[in-house]
Amino acid sequence: MGVRSLDLKKWTKFLKAKGLVYQYTNGGHEYWDLPNDSLSRPVTFSCHHKEIVIQVIASNLYTMGLLMKDLEEWPGRK
């Protein structure tokens, strides 16, 4: 079964595992990017919910150049 949502703490742990770093928070949203700011846009998600929904996950994975499979196979997800 695929990912439907992910705990906020696990999502940020995944981002760190992929080399992203926290940039800043604005209006209840966190912004993350690679250290050299090489993503076309920052990875952005609401930080005032405990879960990140699949639509946000999919959009952020696309921004990172990753597939849902990369998250599903990530050992830290379980």
Side-chain angles (χ1 to χ4, degrees), residues 7-67:
D7 179 79
L8 176 63
K9 289 182 182 183
K10 286 189 180 183
W11 179 241
T12 57
K13 192 174 178 180
F14 175 77
L15 296 177
K16 289 176 186 177
K18 294 301 178 183
L20 278 77
V21 292
Y22 169 82
Q23 299 289 309
Y24 61 95
T25 301
N26 184 16
H29 288 78
E30 285 190 13
Y31 294 80
W32 291 64
D33 203 341
L34 291 170
N36 60 1
D37 296 327
S38 64
L39 294 178
S40 61
R41 64 181 186 195
V43 167
T44 307
F45 55 90
S46 174
C47 58
H48 53 81
H49 297 289
K50 292 182 181 182
E51 297 274 324
I52 306 296
V53 296
I54 189 66
Q55 294 86 349
V56 173
I57 292 170
S59 175
N60 285 328
L61 288 171
Y62 179 81
T63 298
M64 291 185 281
L66 300 174
L67 301 172

